[in-house]
């Protein structure tokens, strides 16, 4: 029924599903790497309690011998959007934030800069707008951080620490158009 939380499989059922998923990944990883010319990948089957099976395949870089390990860090790009969206979509279900509530009141480590608050009403920025790219702003992408370098904080990224193209600024009024 809509709105009800589905029951989760038992621990034994979850483990059996995880073993099956891990076996499928194990069987398909090598052929996929070869078919797409990729050097390597890591995969993890997770469940409610956390990781169940972690696997690594191939090498970190074509032409180099260093193998991919389960702890190898990859640049995942826009994959993080779907993961973040799933987490954000749970917020209304948990009573933490409504889809149409202003997010400005929930910001802690970062606030909208004055240049943005002067241009448009930041109270119109909602979780729905952020998830649908209609909040009025966007940054097309971010440069990669070299391995071994410290990762910038979210606040540093939003203020443009990775270059002028990464400064968060308005593309138009909130709720009027989509900007991706």
């Amino acid at each position: 029924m809509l709105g009800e939380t589905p029951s989760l499989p038992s621990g034994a059922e979850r483990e059996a599903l995880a073993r099956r998923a891990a076996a499928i990944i194990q069987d398909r990883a090598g052929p996929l790497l070869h078919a797409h010319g990729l050097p390597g990948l890591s995969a993890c089957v997770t469940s409610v309690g956390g990781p169940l099976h972690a696997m690594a395949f191939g090498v970190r870089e074509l032409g180099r011998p260093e193998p991919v390990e389960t702890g190898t860090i990859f640049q995942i790009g826009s994959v993080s959007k779907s993961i973040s969206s799933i987490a954000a979509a749970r917020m209304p279900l948990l009573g933490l934030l409504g889809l149409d509530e202003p997010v400005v009141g929930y910001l802690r480590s970062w606030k909208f800069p004055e240049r943005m608050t002067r241009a448009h009403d930041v109270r119109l920025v909602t979780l729905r707008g952020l998830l649908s790219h209609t909040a009025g702003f966007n940054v097309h992408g971010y440069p990669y951080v070299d391995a071994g370098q410290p990762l910038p904080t979210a606040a540093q990224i939003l203020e443009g620490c990775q270059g002028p193209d990464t400064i968060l600024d308005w593309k138009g009024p909130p709720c009027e158009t989509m900007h991706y």
Side-chain angles (χ1 to χ4, degrees):
M1 171 155 257
L2 189 62
E4 290 183 21
T5 303
S7 61
L8 296 171
S10 69
E13 292 170 315
R14 280 196 307 271
E15 182 57 35
L17 288 169
R19 278 195 307 276
R20 184 169 166 224
I24 291 169
I25 293 168
Q26 193 81 36
D27 289 343
R28 296 184 182 173
L32 282 170
L33 291 175
H34 180 73
H36 296 282
L38 300 172
L41 66 89
S42 65
C44 185
V45 178
T46 64
S47 186
V48 175
L52 297 174
H53 296 279
M55 300 155 278
F57 307 91
V59 295
R60 294 175 186 220
E61 187 177 332
L62 286 175
R64 305 216 28 186
E66 296 87 8
V68 172
E69 299 170 347
T70 57
T72 300
I73 297 173
F74 290 93
Q75 302 288 347
I76 63 170
S78 290
V79 171
S80 60
K81 289 178 186 169
S82 59
I83 296 166
S84 298
S85 294
I86 290 167
R90 291 194 42 82
M91 294 177 85
L93 295 173
L94 298 172
L96 299 174
L97 173 65
L99 279 174
D100 298 309
E101 285 182 55
V103 298
V104 68
Y106 293 89
L107 299 175
R108 298 290 178 262
S109 64
W110 181 82
K111 302 289 185 198
F112 284 98
E114 188 178 336
R115 70 175 187 283
M116 292 182 77
T117 60
R118 281 193 317 263
H120 295 292
D121 186 354
V122 296
R123 293 172 298 173
L124 296 175
V125 177
T126 64
L127 183 57
R128 184 185 308 275
L130 292 169
L131 293 173
S132 63
H133 301 282
T134 58
F137 49 81
N138 183 48
V139 174
H140 181 66
Y142 298 96
Y144 294 126
V145 176
D146 291 328
Q149 296 298 314
L151 295 174
T153 66
Q156 289 170 327
I157 291 170
L158 292 170
E159 289 302 321
C161 75
Q162 293 183 296
D165 291 340
T166 66
I167 296 173
L168 186 68
D169 210 349
W170 295 112
K171 303 293 182 200
C175 310
E176 289 190 13
T177 60
M178 187 184 114
H179 299 279
Y180 182 77

